[in-house]
Amino acid sequence: MITLLEIINGLILAPLVPIILFSVGIYFAIKLRFFFVRYPIRTIMPLTKRPPGSGVSPLAAVTLALAGTLGVGNIVGVATAIILGGAGAVFWMWVSAIVAMVLKYAEILLAVRHRREKEGKFHGGAMYYIKSRKAAVTFALLCILCSFSLGNALQVNAAAQSAGIVFGLPVIAVGGAFAVLVYLVIFRHKKGVFDFTLKLVPAITVFYIILALVVIFAQRQGIPGVISQIFSAAFNFRSAAGGVGGFLIAMSSVRFGVIRGLVSNEAGCGTAPIAHAAADVHSPAAQGCWGIVEVFVDTLLMCTLTAFVILLPGFDLSGAEGMGIVLSSFAYILGGFAETALAASIFAFAFATIIGWSFFGMECVHYLSPTKRAKTIYLVVFNIVALVGGFLNPDLIWHLSDFTIGGMTIINGIALFFMRDEVFQESRKFFRWK
C-alpha cells in the first residue's frame, strides 16, 4: 500500500501539483495585479470591519480554517521536508506561500459566492462551486478521507509520539484523551467548533511563536548562514557526480517544499473555504482577504520559525526522524523545559487541527448526504480514528495525506481556472478597479 501511494505521489502528483499551483496561482496574481503586494492597506482594510449580523464572525471563520492548518504540518511537516528535500525546501515553501495567498483568496471568494443557506446556516466549499458533479463528489470523498488521515490520525500519531518520548505515556492513553476531548467538543459543546477554535488557536499560536523566537534569538549569530544555506540549496543543480545528483536534490527541494507547504497552508486544495463559507459577511472578496493573512501566519511565519529552529544548531539530518529532530532542536537551547513545552504545543495544535478537520469532513458528508444519520456515522468513525490513530504507520498516513491533498488540489485548481471570470468580476467590484 505504501509503495503504491509513494509511486502515485512521486510520479503523478509530485509534478502535477506544483505545475497546477504555480501556473494557476501566477495567472491569478498577474490578472489581479498582485494587489496584496501593491495595495496592502486596501487589502487589510476589509479585515478591520465587522459586518452586521449575529452569525459566525469572519475572524471566527479564520481561526477555524487556521485550526485545520496549524498543526503537525507546521512542526513535523517542516522537519520532514528539510530531511527529505534539504534546506532548499524552505525556499520553495516561501515561493509556494506567495502563490498560495492569491489562490486562497480566489477559492474563499468563490466559496462565499456559491454557498447555500439552510436552516439559518451557510454551507459552502469547493464542492459547491465545482461545476462538474462527478468532480465535486470526488473532491468531497477525498476530503473525507483526508480528514481521517491528515486531519486526524497524523495529528494523533505525532502527539502520541511526542508524549511517549517526553512523558512516557502509552499510545492508547493519548488516543483515548483525544477521543474523549473530540467527543466533548463536537457532541457536547453547545456553541460549536467556531467558538472553541476562536479561543484556542490564538493562544497556542502566540505561545509557539514566543518559544521559537527565544530559541532563534539565542542563536542569532547563525541566521545569516542559515539564510545562505537555504538559498544555495534551493538552486543546487550541480554536484560532483556530473550534475545528476544535484539536480535530484534540487527537485526534491521543490517537491517536498511545495507539497509540505501545501500540507501546511492547504491553499488551493479547497478545504479552508469550507470554514470561510460559514462567515457572516456580505462581500466574497472581503472574506477572501482573510485567506491572505491566513497563509502569511501559517507558512511565512510559523513554518519559517520552525525551519530556523531546526537549521540553526547544524545537526546532521541524514536519516533523522521528524519529531526527534524537532525536540532536539528546541532542547538544544531550552533544555528539558523544551520537551515539555513542545509536547504540550503539539498536543494543542493537533487537537485544534482535529476539530477543524472534523468540520471540513462533516460539511463534505452534508454535501453528499444531508441527513443527521450520515453525519452521526461520520463523527463516530472520526472518534474511533482518533482513538487508534497513534497505532497507525506514520509513513502510510503521510503518503495517504499527500495523495488526498494532491488529488483535491488538482480538482480544485482546474475549477479555479475555469471560474476565473467570477473572481475577476467580484474583485473589480469590491476594490473598485477599472
Side-chain angles (χ1 to χ4, degrees):
M1 183 66 175
I2 295 179
T3 304
L4 177 61
L5 288 173
E6 192 171 7
I7 292 173
I8 294 174
N9 292 338
L11 298 180
I12 301 175
L13 297 182
L16 276 181
V17 170
I19 289 172
I20 290 176
L21 274 181
F22 281 108
S23 57
V24 177
I26 291 173
Y27 175 79
F28 272 104
I30 293 174
K31 294 292 287 185
L32 293 172
R33 312 175 186 180
F34 288 92
F35 71 93
F36 53 93
V37 177
R38 295 176 61 195
Y39 310 112
I41 302 300
R42 194 181 298 180
T43 304
I44 295 174
M45 281 301 291
L47 312 185
T48 63
K49 300 177 181 178
R50 170 69 168 97
S54 57
V56 176
S57 71
L59 180 59
V62 172
T63 56
L64 179 61
L66 279 173
T69 58
L70 293 176
V72 175
N74 299 91
I75 303 174
V76 183
V78 174
T80 305
I82 294 174
I83 292 170
L84 298 177
V90 179
F91 172 82
W92 294 108
M93 277 189 183
W94 293 340
V95 173
S96 68
I98 299 298
V99 176
M101 285 181 176
V102 71
L103 283 175
K104 184 157 280 193
Y105 165 82
E107 62 185 356
I108 291 172
L109 183 155
L110 289 173
V112 175
R113 185 181 171 99
H114 289 268
R115 65 187 178 181
R116 300 171 189 173
E117 186 176 2
K118 184 178 181 181
E119 298 178 355
K121 294 182 179 180
F122 289 113
H123 301 277
M127 56 278 189
Y128 287 93
Y129 63 71
I130 295 173
K131 293 183 177 180
S132 169
R133 170 67 178 172
K134 291 182 179 179
V137 169
T138 302
F139 175 90
L141 291 172
L142 285 172
C143 187
I144 292 171
L145 183 59
C146 194
S147 72
F148 293 137
S149 59
L150 172 65
N152 191 339
L154 186 64
Q155 311 299 323
V156 176
N157 204 286
Q161 191 176 1
S162 64
I165 294 174
V166 177
F167 304 113
L169 293 176
V171 174
I172 190 63
V174 179
F178 272 114
V180 171
L181 290 173
V182 168
Y183 169 79
L184 291 175
V185 172
I186 295 177
F187 287 98
R188 308 295 295 179
H189 199 268
K190 294 182 180 180
K191 293 186 178 180
V193 295
F194 286 96
D195 181 73
F196 179 81
T197 55
L198 184 59
K199 296 176 182 178
L200 177 63
V201 171
I204 58 177
T205 301
V206 171
F207 178 75
Y208 183 78
I209 289 173
I210 293 173
L211 202 68
L213 285 176
V214 170
V215 174
I216 293 171
F217 182 78
Q219 305 171 84
R220 57 192 179 278
Q221 69 280 357
I223 293 177
V226 169
I227 295 175
S228 175
Q229 180 186 1
I230 290 172
F231 279 91
S232 61
F235 300 98
N236 181 19
F237 287 91
R238 294 184 178 181
S239 72
V244 176
F247 177 78
L248 293 176
I249 292 173
M251 287 302 98
S252 294
S253 297
V254 175
R255 173 189 171 186
F256 290 106
V258 173
I259 291 294
R260 290 294 182 260
L262 177 61
V263 168
S264 170
N265 59 55
E266 296 173 18
C269 71
T271 52
I274 298 175
H276 286 273
D280 183 11
V281 63
H282 299 304
S283 171
Q287 191 64 26
C289 291
W290 281 101
I292 295 172
V293 176
E294 187 181 315
V295 174
F296 176 84
V297 172
D298 184 274
T299 303
L300 291 182
L301 179 59
M302 299 289 286
C303 288
T304 299
L305 290 175
T306 302
F308 273 76
V309 168
I310 293 170
L311 292 172
L312 278 170
F315 293 140
D316 181 13
L317 301 179
S318 57
E321 181 272 325
M323 181 59 68
I325 200 65
V326 171
L327 290 172
S328 298
S329 299
F330 275 94
Y332 184 71
I333 296 297
L334 300 178
F337 167 76
E339 294 186 342
T340 303
L342 190 60
S345 298
I346 291 173
F347 187 94
F349 274 128
F351 183 49
T353 301
I354 291 171
I355 297 303
W357 270 95
S358 70
F359 180 81
F360 299 160
M362 195 159 47
E363 285 296 293
C364 288
V365 170
H366 175 85
Y367 172 79
L368 297 173
S369 177
T371 62
K372 187 175 181 180
R373 182 181 180 184
K375 294 180 183 178
T376 302
I377 293 173
Y378 167 80
L379 291 175
V380 168
V381 175
F382 194 85
N383 261 56
I384 294 173
V385 173
L387 178 64
V388 302
F391 294 99
L392 302 179
N393 187 333
D395 290 334
L396 174 61
I397 304 172
W398 270 116
H399 287 308
L400 185 59
S401 300
D402 288 347
F403 171 75
T404 51
I405 284 284
M408 292 159 62
T409 302
I410 292 173
I411 295 172
N412 187 52
I414 295 172
L416 288 176
F417 179 75
F418 279 109
M419 303 192 71
R420 60 193 182 278
D421 289 339
E422 290 190 33
V423 177
F424 303 149
Q425 177 187 350
E426 197 69 43
S427 299
R428 283 195 297 267
K429 181 174 68 175
F430 180 76
F431 291 104
R432 297 179 182 178
W433 290 329
K434 293 183 180 179

